[in-house]
């Protein structure tokens, strides 16, 4: 950096990790649990995540437009259990949850990276296969359905 032109080198700052942890910025532990009360809660995190991505997309659109920058398009990755494609009810519920929170989400915006590589018809909705290494280059993709991990080509 010292030899790079057009850049300023800032003075190094030492930070006490314990002060950061005490501030609450770094968590030692995050606990997630389903409440004991009656109700359907297993899709709560997916609903919240979808709403957050929609809001993030809105904020990025405003920022990039105001600053004459190319669009920044966040992607929601919904991680499903292994063999998810064998449970059409679970897949349908996942998509219904996402679509219910994302107004205007188009069918061609939802892809999957399952090892089967086949396009899926899920309760009347489509999810095409997308090769993981090509996702970043396809700006129509807004939602990626994945199993326990996306491996090849994904950073």
């Amino acid at each position: 950096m010292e030899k790079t032109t057009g850049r300023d080198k800032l003075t190094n700052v030492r930070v006490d990790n314990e002060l950061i942890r005490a501030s609450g910025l770094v968590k030692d532990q995050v606990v997630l649990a389903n409440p004991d009360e009656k109700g359907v809660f297993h899709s709560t995190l997916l609903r919240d995540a979808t709403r957050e991505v929609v809001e993030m997309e809105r904020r990025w659109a405003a920022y990039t437009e105001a600053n004459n920058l190319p669009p920044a398009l966040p992607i929601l990755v919904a991680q499903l259990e292994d063999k998810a494609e064998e449970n059409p009810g679970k897949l349908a519920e996942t998509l219904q949850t996402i679509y219910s929170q994302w107004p205007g989400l188009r069918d061609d915006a939802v892809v999957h990276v399952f090892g089967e590589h086949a396009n899926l018809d899920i309760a009347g909705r489509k999810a095409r296969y997308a090769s993981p290494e090509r996702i970043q280059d396809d700006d129509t993709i807004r939602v990626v359905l994945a199993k326990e991990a996306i491996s090849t080509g994904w950073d």
Side-chain angles (χ1 to χ4, degrees):
M1 287 301 297
E2 290 172 353
K3 296 177 185 173
T4 303
T5 58
R7 301 278 185 188
D8 293 328
K9 182 178 184 280
L10 301 176
T11 305
N12 290 338
V13 176
R14 295 197 55 83
V15 178
D16 183 339
N17 289 341
E18 290 307 314
L19 291 175
I20 300 295
R21 189 171 284 113
S23 76
L25 289 174
V26 174
K27 308 289 186 230
D28 288 325
Q29 183 177 5
V30 176
V31 177
L32 302 174
N34 283 329
D36 291 331
E37 62 203 68
K38 292 190 183 291
V40 179
F41 301 104
H42 58 273
S43 61
T44 300
L45 293 176
L46 180 58
R47 283 194 312 270
D48 290 348
T50 304
R51 283 195 299 262
E52 182 63 28
V53 170
V54 170
E55 176 59 20
M56 188 183 311
E57 182 177 63
R58 185 197 64 73
R59 291 191 318 256
W60 270 113
Y63 176 83
T64 56
E65 184 176 322
N67 291 283
N68 258 351
L69 297 169
L73 300 171
I75 292 176
L76 173 67
V77 177
Q79 184 179 4
L80 304 161
E81 66 275 355
D82 253 353
K83 301 192 185 293
E85 71 284 359
E86 295 175 11
N87 186 345
K90 180 65 175 170
L91 281 174
E93 180 184 3
T94 298
L95 285 185
Q96 174 56 33
T97 299
I98 293 169
Y99 278 100
S100 73
Q101 302 303 311
W102 197 322
L105 181 66
R106 299 179 355 206
D107 278 347
D108 66 344
V110 179
V111 301
H112 72 86
V113 292
F114 301 154
E116 292 70 24
H117 298 207
N119 294 337
L120 301 176
D121 184 346
I122 304 165
R125 297 229 184 242
K126 305 291 183 208
R128 62 186 162 98
Y129 171 76
S131 182
E133 63 271 11
R134 299 195 190 285
I135 291 173
Q136 72 181 18
D137 298 323
D138 185 341
D139 62 3
T140 65
I141 297 174
R142 313 302 302 118
V143 176
V144 176
L145 303 175
K147 290 186 187 175
E148 292 195 16
I150 302 174
S151 55
T152 308
W154 187 267
D155 293 333

